[in-house]
Amino acid sequence: MQYDAKYGIIRGGKGLFEMALKLLPAVVCPRAKAFEIVRLFGSEIISSDGMQLEKQFIQHGSVSVYAHSVAVAVMCVRLAMLLPFAVDLRALVRGALLHDYFLYDWHDGDKSHRLHGFRHARFAFNNAKRDFELGEVEKNMILSHMFPLGIVLPRFRESVILCIADKICATAETSVGCFAKFIMFVRM
C-alpha cells in the first residue's frame, strides 16, 4: 500500500500475500497516522462552526456527534489502508466527517426528530451541502451511510467503507455504554 500525496489516494497492493500482511489495521495504519490524514483533508470541516456545534450533541452512549464523526473518519482511513484498490482519501475523510452533520440533539423528544435513523442522512446532506462544496462521492457517502436501513445505495468504494466504519464505531460506542450499565447493575 502506498499513499499518493499528489492525488490524495491510497494505491493498493497487487496480491493476496500483500493483503494478508495488512490484515491488522494497527500495523497498517496506526491511529495517530490516520488522524494526521483526517486533519490534513478535513481541517476546514473540523474547524467549522457546525462541527463545533456537534460537540454539544450526544450520538451513541456518552459519545458526542463530533467525537463519533472524527472516530468514523479515522476508522475509514484505517480500513482504506487494508484494501487492494485506490481510494479518494480527500472525499473519504470529508464524507466521513459530514455523514452525521444533522446539527440537532435527536434525544430531545422533538417530534421532528422522530425516525432519526431513517431521516438524519438527508438532514446531514442538506446541512453539508449548505455549508461546504461537495463532490459526487461525498454526496453519496452522506446519503447512503445508513444502508441498508436507508434506501440510498452506496455507489462508490468510499461509500461502502463509510457504511462499514460507521457500523463498527457505532457498535463500539453503544457497547461501551451498555457494558458500563451492566457493570453498574451487577455491582448493585
Side-chain angles (χ1 to χ4, degrees):
M1 302 281 174
Q2 289 184 321
Y3 173 65
D4 185 336
K6 180 178 178 185
Y7 296 103
I9 60 173
I10 299 172
R11 300 202 182 271
K14 294 184 175 64
L16 289 176
F17 181 71
E18 289 87 355
M19 285 178 61
L21 289 176
K22 295 177 176 40
L23 287 176
L24 297 173
V27 174
V28 177
C29 184
R31 191 175 295 129
K33 178 64 177 170
F35 188 71
E36 284 178 37
I37 293 169
V38 168
R39 282 191 310 191
L40 173 68
F41 292 113
S43 60
E44 171 197 7
I45 294 169
I46 291 170
S47 63
S48 72
D49 291 340
M51 282 296 281
Q52 297 308 306
L53 186 63
E54 284 188 355
K55 291 178 180 180
Q56 299 173 29
F57 308 133
I58 297 300
Q59 179 68 336
H60 304 115
S62 61
V63 178
S64 71
V65 178
Y66 175 89
H68 169 73
S69 297
V70 172
V72 169
V74 168
M75 180 60 73
C76 281
V77 171
R78 295 179 81 193
L79 290 173
M81 293 288 202
L82 295 172
L83 301 174
F85 45 76
V87 174
D88 181 343
L89 261 185
R90 181 178 184 277
L92 181 67
V93 167
R94 290 172 54 84
L97 288 172
L98 295 170
H99 82 281
D100 279 336
Y101 196 68
F102 46 84
L103 305 179
Y104 60 81
D105 182 358
W106 63 276
H107 301 91
D108 69 3
D110 184 326
K111 289 185 180 188
S112 69
H113 303 158
R114 282 181 155 169
L115 302 174
H116 171 79
F118 294 96
R119 300 175 62 205
H120 78 275
R122 178 64 61 181
F123 295 140
F125 172 74
N126 289 335
N127 291 335
K129 187 173 64 169
R130 177 194 67 215
D131 294 350
F132 303 99
E133 191 170 318
L134 302 175
E136 288 305 308
V137 173
E138 295 154 336
K139 290 175 184 176
N140 183 250
M141 288 176 70
I142 297 166
L143 289 170
S144 69
H145 82 272
M146 287 301 290
F147 182 81
L149 187 59
I151 59 170
V152 177
L153 296 173
R155 294 186 301 130
F156 301 95
R157 294 171 175 170
E158 295 81 2
S159 303
V160 174
I161 293 169
L162 173 60
C163 284
I164 294 166
D166 187 38
K167 288 0 170 226
I168 291 169
C169 292
T171 300
E173 293 160 4
T174 305
S175 299
V176 167
C178 291
F179 183 70
K181 288 177 186 174
F182 174 74
I183 294 299
M184 293 296 286
F185 176 76
V186 171
R187 288 187 179 174
M188 292 177 116

Coordinates of all heavy atoms in Angstrom, one line a residue, residues 100-135:
D100 N -22.9 12.6 9.7 CA -23.9 12.8 10.7 C -24.0 14.3 11.0 O -24.2 14.7 12.1 CB -23.5 12.1 12.0 CG -24.0 10.6 11.9 OD1 -24.9 10.3 11.1 OD2 -23.4 9.8 12.6
Y101 N -23.9 15.2 10.0 CA -23.9 16.6 10.1 C -25.3 17.1 10.2 O -25.7 18.1 9.5 CB -23.1 17.2 8.9 CG -22.7 18.6 9.0 CD1 -21.8 19.1 10.0 CD2 -23.3 19.6 8.2 CE1 -21.4 20.4 10.0 CE2 -22.9 20.9 8.3 CZ -21.9 21.3 9.2 OH -21.5 22.6 9.2
F102 N -26.2 16.5 11.0 CA -27.6 16.9 11.1 C -27.8 18.0 12.0 O -28.9 18.7 11.9 CB -28.5 15.6 11.5 CG -27.9 14.8 12.6 CD1 -28.2 15.2 13.9 CD2 -27.2 13.7 12.4 CE1 -27.7 14.4 15.0 CE2 -26.7 12.9 13.4 CZ -27.0 13.3 14.7
L103 N -26.9 18.3 12.9 CA -26.9 19.5 13.8 C -28.1 19.7 14.7 O -28.6 20.8 14.8 CB -26.7 20.8 12.9 CG -25.5 20.8 12.0 CD1 -25.4 22.0 11.2 CD2 -24.2 20.5 12.8
Y104 N -28.5 18.6 15.3 CA -29.6 18.7 16.4 C -29.4 17.6 17.3 O -28.7 16.6 17.1 CB -31.0 18.7 15.8 CG -31.3 17.5 15.0 CD1 -31.7 16.3 15.6 CD2 -31.3 17.5 13.6 CE1 -32.0 15.1 14.9 CE2 -31.6 16.3 12.9 CZ -32.0 15.2 13.5 OH -32.3 14.0 12.8
D105 N -30.0 17.7 18.5 CA -30.0 16.6 19.5 C -31.2 15.7 19.3 O -32.3 16.1 19.6 CB -30.0 17.2 20.9 CG -29.9 16.2 22.0 OD1 -29.8 15.0 21.7 OD2 -29.8 16.5 23.2
W106 N -30.9 14.6 18.8 CA -32.0 13.7 18.4 C -32.6 13.0 19.6 O -33.6 12.3 19.5 CB -31.6 12.7 17.4 CG -30.5 11.7 17.7 CD1 -29.2 11.9 17.7 CD2 -30.7 10.3 18.2 NE1 -28.5 10.8 18.0 CE2 -29.4 9.8 18.4 CE3 -31.8 9.6 18.5 CZ2 -29.2 8.5 18.8 CZ3 -31.6 8.3 18.9 CH2 -30.3 7.7 19.1
H107 N -32.1 13.2 20.8 CA -32.6 12.7 22.0 C -33.6 13.6 22.7 O -34.2 13.2 23.8 CB -31.5 12.4 23.0 CG -30.5 11.4 22.5 ND1 -29.3 11.8 21.9 CD2 -30.4 10.1 22.6 CE1 -28.6 10.8 21.5 NE2 -29.2 9.7 21.9
D108 N -33.8 14.8 22.2 CA -34.6 15.8 23.0 C -36.1 15.7 22.9 O -36.8 16.5 23.6 CB -34.1 17.2 22.5 CG -34.6 17.6 21.1 OD1 -35.3 16.7 20.5 OD2 -34.3 18.6 20.6
G109 N -36.6 14.7 22.3 CA -38.1 14.5 22.2 C -38.8 15.3 21.2 O -40.0 15.2 21.1
D110 N -38.1 16.1 20.5 CA -38.8 17.0 19.4 C -39.4 16.0 18.4 O -38.7 15.1 17.9 CB -37.7 17.9 18.8 CG -38.3 18.8 17.8 OD1 -39.2 18.5 17.0 OD2 -37.7 19.9 17.6
K111 N -40.7 16.2 18.1 CA -41.3 15.3 17.1 C -40.7 15.3 15.7 O -40.8 14.3 15.0 CB -42.8 15.7 17.0 CG -43.6 15.3 18.3 CD -45.1 15.6 18.1 CE -45.7 15.2 19.4 NZ -47.2 15.2 19.3
S112 N -40.0 16.4 15.4 CA -39.4 16.4 14.0 C -38.2 15.5 14.0 O -37.6 15.3 12.9 CB -39.0 17.9 13.7 OG -37.9 18.3 14.5
H113 N -37.7 15.0 15.1 CA -36.6 14.1 15.2 C -37.0 12.7 15.2 O -36.1 11.8 15.4 CB -35.7 14.5 16.4 CG -35.2 15.9 16.3 ND1 -34.8 16.5 17.5 CD2 -35.1 16.8 15.3 CE1 -34.4 17.8 17.2 NE2 -34.6 18.0 15.9
R114 N -38.3 12.4 15.1 CA -38.8 11.0 15.1 C -38.2 10.3 13.9 O -37.9 10.9 12.9 CB -40.3 11.0 15.0 CG -41.0 11.3 16.3 CD -42.4 11.2 16.0 NE -43.1 10.9 17.2 CZ -44.5 10.9 17.3 NH1 -45.2 11.3 16.3 NH2 -45.0 10.6 18.5
L115 N -38.0 9.0 14.0 CA -37.4 8.2 13.0 C -36.0 8.7 12.5 O -35.7 8.7 11.4 CB -38.4 8.1 11.8 CG -39.8 7.6 12.1 CD1 -40.7 7.7 10.9 CD2 -39.7 6.1 12.5
H116 N -35.3 9.2 13.5 CA -34.0 9.7 13.3 C -33.1 8.8 12.4 O -32.5 9.3 11.5 CB -33.3 10.0 14.6 CG -31.8 10.4 14.5 ND1 -31.4 11.7 14.1 CD2 -30.7 9.7 14.6 CE1 -30.1 11.7 14.1 NE2 -29.7 10.5 14.4
G117 N -33.1 7.5 12.7 CA -32.3 6.6 12.0 C -32.6 6.5 10.5 O -31.7 6.3 9.7
F118 N -33.8 6.8 10.1 CA -34.2 6.8 8.7 C -34.0 8.1 8.0 O -33.8 8.2 6.8 CB -35.7 6.4 8.6 CG -36.0 5.0 9.0 CD1 -36.4 4.7 10.3 CD2 -35.8 3.9 8.2 CE1 -36.7 3.4 10.8 CE2 -36.1 2.6 8.6 CZ -36.5 2.4 9.9
R119 N -34.1 9.2 8.8 CA -34.2 10.5 8.2 C -32.9 11.4 8.3 O -32.7 12.3 7.6 CB -35.4 11.3 8.8 CG -36.7 10.6 8.6 CD -37.8 11.2 9.3 NE -38.0 12.6 8.8 CZ -38.6 13.5 9.4 NH1 -39.0 13.3 10.7 NH2 -38.8 14.7 8.9
H120 N -32.0 11.1 9.3 CA -30.9 12.0 9.5 C -29.9 12.1 8.4 O -29.3 13.2 8.3 CB -30.2 11.7 10.9 CG -29.3 10.6 10.8 ND1 -29.7 9.2 10.9 CD2 -27.9 10.5 10.6 CE1 -28.6 8.5 10.8 NE2 -27.5 9.2 10.6
A121 N -29.8 11.1 7.6 CA -28.9 11.2 6.5 C -29.2 12.4 5.5 O -28.4 13.1 5.0 CB -28.8 9.9 5.7
R122 N -30.5 12.5 5.3 CA -31.0 13.6 4.4 C -30.8 15.0 5.1 O -30.3 15.9 4.4 CB -32.5 13.4 4.1 CG -33.1 14.5 3.2 CD -32.5 14.7 1.8 NE -32.7 13.5 1.0 CZ -32.3 13.4 -0.2 NH1 -31.7 14.4 -0.8 NH2 -32.4 12.2 -0.9
F123 N -31.0 15.1 6.4 CA -30.7 16.3 7.1 C -29.3 16.7 7.1 O -28.9 17.8 6.9 CB -31.2 16.2 8.6 CG -32.7 16.1 8.8 CD1 -33.2 15.2 9.7 CD2 -33.6 16.8 8.0 CE1 -34.6 15.1 9.9 CE2 -35.0 16.7 8.2 CZ -35.4 15.8 9.1
A124 N -28.4 15.6 7.3 CA -27.0 15.8 7.2 C -26.5 16.3 5.9 O -25.7 17.2 5.7 CB -26.2 14.6 7.6
F125 N -27.1 15.7 4.8 CA -26.8 16.1 3.5 C -27.1 17.5 3.2 O -26.3 18.3 2.6 CB -27.5 15.1 2.5 CG -27.4 15.6 1.0 CD1 -26.2 15.4 0.4 CD2 -28.4 16.1 0.4 CE1 -26.1 15.8 -1.0 CE2 -28.3 16.5 -0.9 CZ -27.1 16.4 -1.6
N126 N -28.3 17.9 3.6 CA -28.8 19.3 3.3 C -27.9 20.3 4.0 O -27.6 21.3 3.5 CB -30.2 19.5 3.7 CG -31.2 18.7 2.7 OD1 -30.8 18.5 1.6 ND2 -32.3 18.4 3.2
N127 N -27.5 20.0 5.3 CA -26.7 20.9 6.0 C -25.3 21.0 5.4 O -24.7 22.1 5.3 CB -26.6 20.5 7.5 CG -27.9 20.7 8.2 OD1 -28.7 21.6 7.9 ND2 -28.1 20.0 9.3
A128 N -24.7 19.8 5.0 CA -23.4 19.8 4.5 C -23.4 20.5 3.1 O -22.4 21.2 2.8 CB -23.0 18.3 4.3
K129 N -24.4 20.3 2.3 CA -24.5 21.0 1.0 C -24.6 22.5 1.2 O -24.0 23.2 0.4 CB -25.7 20.4 0.3 CG -25.9 20.9 -1.1 CD -27.0 20.2 -1.8 CE -28.3 20.6 -1.2 NZ -29.5 20.1 -1.9
R130 N -25.2 22.9 2.2 CA -25.3 24.4 2.5 C -24.0 25.0 3.0 O -23.6 26.1 2.6 CB -26.4 24.6 3.6 CG -26.6 26.0 4.1 CD -27.3 26.1 5.4 NE -26.5 25.6 6.5 CZ -27.0 24.9 7.5 NH1 -28.3 24.7 7.6 NH2 -26.2 24.4 8.4
D131 N -23.2 24.2 3.8 CA -22.0 24.8 4.4 C -20.7 24.5 3.6 O -19.7 25.1 3.9 CB -21.9 24.2 5.8 CG -23.0 24.8 6.7 OD1 -23.8 25.7 6.3 OD2 -23.1 24.2 7.9
F132 N -20.7 23.5 2.8 CA -19.5 23.0 2.1 C -19.8 22.7 0.6 O -20.9 22.4 0.3 CB -18.9 21.8 2.8 CG -18.6 22.0 4.2 CD1 -19.5 21.6 5.2 CD2 -17.5 22.7 4.7 CE1 -19.3 21.8 6.5 CE2 -17.2 22.9 6.0 CZ -18.1 22.4 6.9
E133 N -18.7 22.8 -0.2 CA -18.8 22.3 -1.5 C -18.6 20.8 -1.5 O -17.5 20.3 -1.1 CB -17.8 23.0 -2.4 CG -18.0 22.8 -3.9 CD -17.1 23.7 -4.7 OE1 -17.0 24.9 -4.4 OE2 -16.6 23.2 -5.7
L134 N -19.5 20.0 -2.1 CA -19.4 18.6 -2.0 C -19.3 18.0 -3.4 O -20.0 18.4 -4.4 CB -20.7 18.0 -1.4 CG -21.1 18.4 0.0 CD1 -22.4 17.8 0.4 CD2 -20.0 18.0 1.0
G135 N -18.5 17.0 -3.6 CA -18.3 16.2 -4.8 C -19.4 15.1 -4.8 O -20.1 14.8 -3.8

